[in-house]
Amino acid sequence: MGKPLADYVKLPEFDEYKEWFKAFADLKREDGIVQVTWKTNDGPMHHSGMSHRAMSQLTRVLSMDFKNEIIIYTHIGDNWMIESDANGWETYSELPTQRFQHQYFDDTNLIKNMVFDLDVPTIGALPGPGFHWDSAFLCDLTICTEDCKIEVPHAQGGLVPGDGMGLMCQHYLGTKLGNYYMMTSRQITAPEMLAHGMVSEVVPKGKAVERAWEIARMWKRMPYENRTIMSNLAKRPLKKLLMEDLKLHTVSEQYGSLLRVAAGDLGDENSAQQDEKYISRVNDYRYATHDMEAPQTLESWSNMAKNANEWFKKVQSGEIENPYVFEHSNEPEGYEF
């Protein structure tokens, strides 16, 4: 057999790109099964422009490595993402190019790369509650723990909910119920998610990743070609959905934000639209309490910042414990309620 004129292009190996993304994800691979554990450095993932981009970039890189046969997405610790990096949004404020790239490319790629780039079976494993749950819910199967709850928080902060989570609510829950959760920011609990077909299984606390690996090993008993083709069938409804509506949603959020920037009312909780960098303290309050599991009211929306502040003062005094990792030093300098 003769020698080809040109060989296959050398792409990065697993150990190489594992190092590239070490600030945002722990990667491990066993028998072709890859576990992606989102994080920031050695702690929980802090939402930022950098993590936003890294999530879509990693998914694309994983898709180019044929040794990755099944992929599990999860989060470090016992919850999903809750915190925000106060200093991780500076490039979002750089107009026009940087903000355009973040919102026009990154917001879309974070969603579409999960569905259009990954040709292999995927499982999302949520170890607990949190926001920006895109990668877990775009998987072929999604497993969550019994204490898990999620939300589409944008509207309560004055932001157009166009980053894909609202679109997924409409898809999984139906138009009216999806609109309700998207437009009121009410939290959806694990039993509700299971009842409406938003997740595949609800498991005891601490068992989400273990169950994901069990299912992955079940799939490994199938022929590689067949389970890969099966995954394409699983992704087909989402592919059709994203082709029709994703860009409209992401650009709508971008347009709304730029209007607020132009009007000078994008900032802390006293502004018409809350900037992403100010959300950690409010997020901890929303996930540490049950306040947002009930139907939201004018009073609950209006007093969100006040309630979070009162809760945080109790945490500082030691009266109650914050179950999540909150870094007060990571808030914007001089920020006070």
Side-chain angles (χ1 to χ4, degrees):
M1 184 175 178
K3 181 175 173 56
L5 293 174
D7 206 346
Y8 292 107
V9 174
K10 170 122 179 18
L11 295 174
E13 296 289 337
F14 187 80
D15 287 341
E16 292 179 76
Y17 58 81
K18 177 180 178 180
E19 184 70 15
W20 295 355
F21 291 95
K22 67 180 181 181
F24 300 104
D26 282 330
L27 302 180
K28 74 172 184 178
R29 184 168 65 193
E30 178 185 307
D31 192 27
I33 303 169
V34 179
Q35 180 177 315
V36 177
T37 305
W38 297 123
K39 61 170 193 165
T40 296
N41 298 327
D42 296 321
M45 177 166 268
H46 282 60
H47 190 37
S48 70
M50 297 78 191
S51 67
H52 218 227
R53 181 166 294 174
M55 292 171 83
S56 65
Q57 289 172 326
L58 175 56
T59 295
R60 182 160 289 169
V61 172
L62 288 169
S63 73
M64 295 188 292
D65 187 346
F66 287 171
K67 295 176 184 175
N68 300 330
E69 299 180 25
I70 298 169
I71 303 175
I72 297 168
Y73 285 89
T74 189
H75 188 282
I76 194 171
D78 61 359
N79 58 271
W80 198 258
M81 187 194 319
I82 289 177
E83 311 299 336
S84 181
D85 182 349
N87 301 306
W89 299 98
E90 296 310 309
T91 51
Y92 258 74
S93 63
E94 295 180 18
L95 295 170
T97 303
Q98 288 273 28
R99 189 173 191 112
F100 172 78
Q101 290 172 338
H102 276 299
Q103 290 200 288
Y104 195 79
F105 296 130
D106 292 348
D107 282 10
T108 304
N109 289 340
L110 183 69
I111 304 292
K112 76 175 182 63
N113 292 1
M114 286 290 305
V115 175
F116 289 99
D117 284 0
L118 295 178
D119 293 312
V120 298
T122 55
I123 306 173
L126 287 90
F131 79 106
H132 234 310
W133 31 266
D134 323 65
S135 56
F137 281 79
L138 289 163
C139 289
D140 301 340
L141 299 184
T142 301
I143 299 164
C144 74
T145 54
E146 55 200 357
D147 69 325
C148 189
K149 55 182 179 179
I150 64 169
E151 65 191 15
V152 185
H154 304 67
Q156 197 280 322
L159 175 64
V160 176
D163 67 348
M165 287 189 285
L167 179 61
M168 281 188 276
C169 279
Q170 290 176 324
H171 173 71
Y172 292 124
L173 302 175
T175 303
K176 291 297 182 181
L177 192 58
N179 287 349
Y180 170 70
Y181 282 107
M182 177 180 73
M183 298 173 77
T184 70
S185 300
R186 180 180 174 180
Q187 288 176 338
I188 317 170
T189 63
E192 291 169 334
M193 287 187 279
L194 183 63
H196 293 293
M198 201 171 188
V199 297
S200 312
E201 286 186 10
V202 175
V203 298
K205 189 67 176 174
K207 297 295 185 180
V209 174
E210 179 183 324
R211 178 58 176 150
W213 274 88
E214 182 175 30
I215 293 174
R217 291 188 177 107
M218 286 163 47
W219 287 342
K220 282 289 292 186
R221 298 181 68 86
M222 293 180 66
Y224 164 75
E225 298 82 6
N226 287 15
R227 67 170 178 265
T228 303
I229 296 169
M230 176 180 70
S231 178
N232 181 67
L233 294 179
K235 291 178 174 65
R236 183 169 170 78
L238 281 177
K239 286 182 177 180
K240 292 161 69 176
L241 173 73
L242 300 186
M243 280 292 294
E244 296 226 342
D245 288 332
L246 178 60
K247 203 64 177 179
L248 175 63
H249 275 242
T250 56
V251 172
S252 294
E253 181 176 316
Q254 178 185 15
Y255 182 60
S257 293
L258 290 176
L259 287 174
R260 301 280 63 76
V261 171
D265 54 10
L266 173 68
D268 62 20
E269 77 287 345
N270 297 308
S271 302
Q273 180 179 319
Q274 191 171 11
D275 198 323
E276 300 269 15
K277 65 185 178 183
Y278 291 101
I279 65 176
S280 281
R281 190 186 303 188
V282 174
N283 274 2
D284 279 27
Y285 156 73
R286 294 199 296 213
Y287 287 105
T289 68
H290 296 287
D291 292 3
M292 293 198 66
E293 295 174 27
Q296 294 302 288
T297 65
L298 174 60
E299 182 181 4
S300 67
W301 268 38
S302 302
N303 293 329
M304 182 68 64
K306 175 186 173 184
N307 292 341
N309 187 35
E310 291 175 353
W311 171 85
F312 187 67
K313 286 178 179 177
K314 291 180 181 179
V315 171
Q316 287 181 308
S317 68
E319 184 177 342
I320 60 173
E321 182 181 356
N322 179 7
Y324 306 112
V325 178
F326 177 75
E327 300 176 18
H328 182 65
S329 60
N330 196 52
E331 289 191 319
E333 186 175 352
Y335 174 50
E336 294 182 2
F337 274 101

